[in-house]
Amino acid sequence: MSDTITRLARANVQALTPYQSARRLGGNGDVWLNANEYPLPVPFELSQQTLNRYPECQPKRVIERYAAYAGLAPEQVLVSRGADEGIELLMRAFCEPGQDAILYCPPTYGMYSVSAETMGIACRTVPALDNWQLNMPAIAAALPGVKLVYMCSPNNPTGNLIDTDDIRQLLEMTRGKALVVADEAYIEFCPQATLANWIAEYPHLVVLRTLSKAFALAGLRCGFTLANPKVIELLLKVIAPYPLSTPVADIAAQALSADGIALMRSHVVELNANRSWLATALAALPCVRQVFPSETNYILARFNDAPRVFKTLWDQGIILRDQNKNPGLAGCLRISIGTRNECERLIAALQTLPGTVEQA
């Protein structure tokens, strides 16, 4: 019977490899450094007692507060179930299945490809250069037929910002042809690098944001799409009738109050300090071959024997994210920035590992 059910599914779904989220990968740890979350819970109280009523499609208070925070007008903001829904809404609104394509530059966030493959939209990949910057000539050659170019900056999992001159060049070459989607999930850790203030100059630029990282609300599932009003109007045609539950909208509005934003910024100061400490400590370890610069709440490091390091830490309840299978990331593990105590526990565990291993 199960084979019969499988055959009824769409062919592209049968062939799909799902995105392996941190929670799908499991683990029995008590030091979770694999999902780029804020390491401690933040208290909020529900103030809306109207669960008998459907929520607003686009909660007014949430939209207005995020628009003020981002320096945009409310009509330039759409709120959704995480930035992941924003990724998918853009494809639903702008890409014809079996006809149009998206483009992205690995190594980068995996949901661009999963969402496209689910909808039968072609994926074009232009691998990043060795320094993880955009390969502009190769992108230009691959653009015909592309409707959406996804660009993550700071990039996940590498942690680097994309060069602004290259971004401007990309925006110029896509005018009238495609939208450029800048995924800024980690922008709170380097706010000076945001492209939100470029939207007025480039009406085909779309910026994705989230409350999951610096705002410490990964479990809330609340994200934002920032764009010119015409893009927002089109996305509103394809979004679900009630994308945010009443409790989600209630907590999101609190997080975007003056006090909530101040709390978020204090989180950023704390995590950036822990990141600096951890980067220095990692670089001094004999089992670490390279520590890459980061503008995010995680660090990518290359180890002499990454599989052994990963398994040894896993067995001790310290859960990292293995990046070995990503293009150009052989030997790399991604490490979320935890509390100082969690960072110290990680370093203490790594100090027990040998420095060099015979490479296969």
Side-chain angles (χ1 to χ4, degrees):
M1 175 60 75
S2 60
D3 287 345
T4 302
I5 297 297
T6 300
R7 286 198 301 271
L8 291 173
R10 293 162 52 199
N12 62 313
V13 174
Q14 292 183 45
L16 181 68
T17 300
Y19 179 72
Q20 295 299 308
S21 68
R23 292 299 170 264
R24 267 193 173 181
L25 291 170
N28 295 309
D30 61 339
V31 179
W32 294 94
L33 304 179
N34 66 336
N36 302 340
E37 302 149 323
Y38 185 72
L40 298 171
V42 178
F44 287 95
E45 292 185 5
L46 296 179
S47 63
Q48 301 297 313
Q49 303 300 323
T50 57
L51 297 185
N52 59 310
R53 303 296 183 188
Y54 286 110
E56 297 175 88
C57 175
Q58 294 291 292
K60 186 172 187 289
R61 192 164 59 138
V62 175
I63 293 292
E64 289 179 346
R65 288 186 176 181
Y66 202 88
Y69 167 67
L72 298 172
E75 59 267 25
Q76 294 178 284
V77 177
L78 179 136
V79 64
S80 62
R81 291 167 289 198
D84 286 333
E85 186 178 24
I87 290 169
E88 194 162 299
L89 288 172
L90 288 160
M91 296 182 197
R92 288 168 60 186
F94 288 94
C95 294
E96 291 281 358
Q99 178 177 320
D100 296 324
I102 70 162
L103 186 150
Y104 59 94
C105 302
T108 193
Y109 184 44
M111 279 304 296
Y112 311 139
S113 61
V114 171
S115 293
E117 289 168 19
T118 300
M119 288 187 274
I121 297 165
C123 295
R124 293 192 193 161
T125 59
V126 177
L129 300 171
D130 290 344
N131 62 354
W132 295 323
Q133 293 298 324
L134 303 180
N135 185 336
M136 298 308 298
I139 290 174
L143 271 182
V146 167
K147 281 285 189 72
L148 298 168
V149 179
Y150 287 90
M151 175 197 66
C152 192
S153 183
N155 188 45
N156 178 14
T158 57
N160 64 291
L161 288 166
I162 304 301
D163 182 82
T164 54
D165 290 339
D166 288 347
I167 296 173
R168 284 199 181 274
Q169 186 180 341
L170 177 63
L171 286 163
E172 292 297 341
M173 70 171 62
T174 51
R175 275 190 192 272
K177 301 173 184 175
L179 299 186
V180 173
V181 185
D183 187 340
E184 292 190 346
Y186 300 93
I187 201 63
E188 276 76 21
F189 298 97
C190 50
Q192 74 285 354
T194 183
L195 302 179
N197 53 1
W198 291 24
I199 291 173
E201 183 179 357
Y202 297 103
H204 60 303
L205 171 63
V206 178
V207 174
L208 299 175
R209 297 277 193 85
T210 183
L211 299 186
S212 294
K213 311 303 179 183
F215 280 92
L217 291 171
L220 197 68
R221 308 310 305 130
C222 184
F224 297 87
T225 302
L226 313 179
N228 79 66
K230 181 56 68 176
V231 172
I232 300 299
E233 286 176 21
L234 291 166
L235 298 182
L236 284 169
K237 289 186 174 185
V238 297
I239 198 169
Y242 312 109
L244 260 63
S245 69
T246 297
V248 169
D250 186 0
I251 294 171
Q254 294 175 50
L256 293 166
S257 67
D259 287 346
I261 291 170
L263 178 63
M264 175 274 291
R265 288 176 173 149
S266 72
H267 293 161
V268 168
V269 171
E270 171 198 7
L271 290 178
N272 283 350
N274 285 353
R275 184 185 68 207
S276 296
W277 183 90
L278 183 59
T280 300
L282 285 169
L285 294 172
C287 65
V288 176
R289 195 185 315 172
Q290 188 173 6
V291 178
F292 297 97
S294 174
E295 299 286 348
T296 65
N297 65 335
Y298 55 87
I299 290 174
L300 187 73
R302 180 168 277 125
F303 291 81
N304 292 323
D305 189 349
R308 180 179 180 182
V309 170
F310 181 84
K311 177 66 164 54
T312 301
L313 294 173
W314 178 285
D315 291 343
Q316 296 179 42
I318 302 172
I319 313 300
L320 308 187
R321 191 63 180 262
D322 187 357
Q323 298 293 333
N324 267 285
K325 294 182 180 178
N326 272 334
L329 301 188
C332 289
L333 302 177
R334 193 191 68 191
I335 307 167
S336 303
I337 307 302
T339 64
R340 181 59 64 90
N341 178 261
E342 289 173 333
C343 293
E344 289 171 352
R345 279 187 60 183
L346 169 66
I347 294 300
L350 289 172
Q351 286 171 338
T352 68
L353 297 176
T356 57
V357 174
E358 189 70 27
Q359 297 296 307

